[in-house]
Every structure is written in C-alpha cells, then in structure tokens.
Amino acid sequence: KKDKEMKKTISMVSALINMMTRPAAKKESEKMFFAESLPLASKFFVQRNFPNRSIAFMEMKTSSKGAMYLVTLNDGIQINFNENGSWEMVDCKMEAVPSKLVPDMVSTFMDAHYSSIPLVKIEKKSYGFEATLSNYATLKFDTAEKVA
C-alpha cells in the first residue's frame, strides 16, 4: 500500500513540476521561430533599416490571410512582415521610424503639421497608412493622400 501511495505522490509531483516548467501551449496558429526561417526580404529589411540591431525573437501567426511574421529586435522595436517578407507595421516605440520607411504623402504632411513630433509607428492598412506620433496621436492617410 505504501508503494502505491508513494508512486501516486511521485506522479502528482512530477506532473506539477512539468506543468510549472513547461511554457504555455500556443495555439496551432502561433509558433515561435528562429530568425533563420524569416523570409530573405525581411532579413534584408532589418539589416538595411536597423543596421545596429539584431532580431531578438520572432513569432509566426497564420490566418485565412496567410502567414504573418512578428519580429522583435534586441531594443524592443517591433516589425510585422507578411508571408512575402514585405513590412506591414513598424513600431519603434518612442524612437522615430526611419524616414526612408515613411511614404512621401505622410512625410509631407508630418513636415507641414507635426515637424517637431516624431512619428514612432507606421502601419499599412487597407485604406492606406496609419501613423502614430510620440504624443500618441494617430493619423490615418488614405491612398488619395488625404488625412482621415
């Protein structure tokens, strides 16, 4: 009888340790990947636009729209890429997004109206672009170059 109780106790402790040390299970549509599996275009994008930074970790999410790579650089900058490796969102937190990533229509508007406030996040949307400033203001630009 003692052996059965001992085995049961050991099993329960083992199961508890396993649950505590195992990372939380991700949905089938969310998986962590190594930077080597990132599309080549995405790797070049990071090297070209953020040369002094490296990829800290990456996650791939799949949906009906396809795969999306969510990349975090070693300083916290986040970049989302579509399955072709094209950027969809760049979030530099409180640092300005590199100017070469900002579309001309957004840049022109920013220069005219918000020249002293850094643009810290840019995101491609179905209607155009969404830009977030360091003061948390969000501006929406449609493809007809109008601010929404």
Side-chain angles (χ1 to χ4, degrees):
K1 186 172 178 171
K2 277 188 171 182
D3 282 341
K4 276 188 174 183
E5 286 181 26
M6 183 64 105
K7 286 180 182 179
K8 187 175 178 181
T9 302
I10 290 173
S11 274
M12 288 179 12
V13 169
S14 176
L16 182 61
I17 290 171
N18 186 31
M19 287 189 322
M20 291 172 56
T21 58
R22 177 179 65 139
K26 294 249 180 202
K27 294 182 217 170
E28 188 65 31
S29 62
E30 298 179 12
K31 298 179 182 175
M32 295 299 285
F33 283 88
F34 293 104
E36 292 78 35
S37 62
L38 192 63
L40 198 55
S42 301
K43 289 182 200 176
F44 287 144
F45 177 91
V46 171
Q47 291 170 354
R48 188 173 50 254
N49 295 292
F50 302 96
N52 299 321
R53 296 170 177 104
S54 60
I55 295 172
F57 60 91
M58 182 186 82
E59 185 177 351
M60 185 178 93
K61 291 187 177 186
T62 55
S63 70
S64 59
K65 296 178 183 178
M68 180 69 69
Y69 296 92
L70 306 135
V71 173
T72 302
L73 303 184
N74 60 340
D75 62 353
I77 290 174
Q78 296 178 326
I79 309 165
N80 294 354
F81 297 99
N82 64 24
E83 61 188 19
N84 299 322
S86 297
W87 72 271
E88 294 291 325
M89 186 275 301
V90 177
D91 186 352
C92 292
K93 305 302 177 197
M94 295 308 291
E95 183 179 321
V97 169
S99 59
K100 59 187 163 188
L101 301 180
V102 180
D104 289 340
M105 66 178 167
V106 176
S107 184
T108 300
F109 184 85
M110 291 294 299
D111 289 345
H113 301 284
Y114 296 98
S115 61
S116 64
I117 302 173
L119 186 152
V120 296
K121 180 179 177 183
I122 186 91
E123 188 169 0
K124 293 178 183 175
K125 297 288 192 175
S126 59
Y127 55 79
F129 294 93
E130 184 173 289
T132 304
L133 311 181
S134 64
N135 66 358
Y136 303 105
T138 301
L139 306 171
K140 296 179 181 185
F141 298 85
D142 68 18
T143 53
E145 299 187 17
K146 294 180 184 171
V147 179

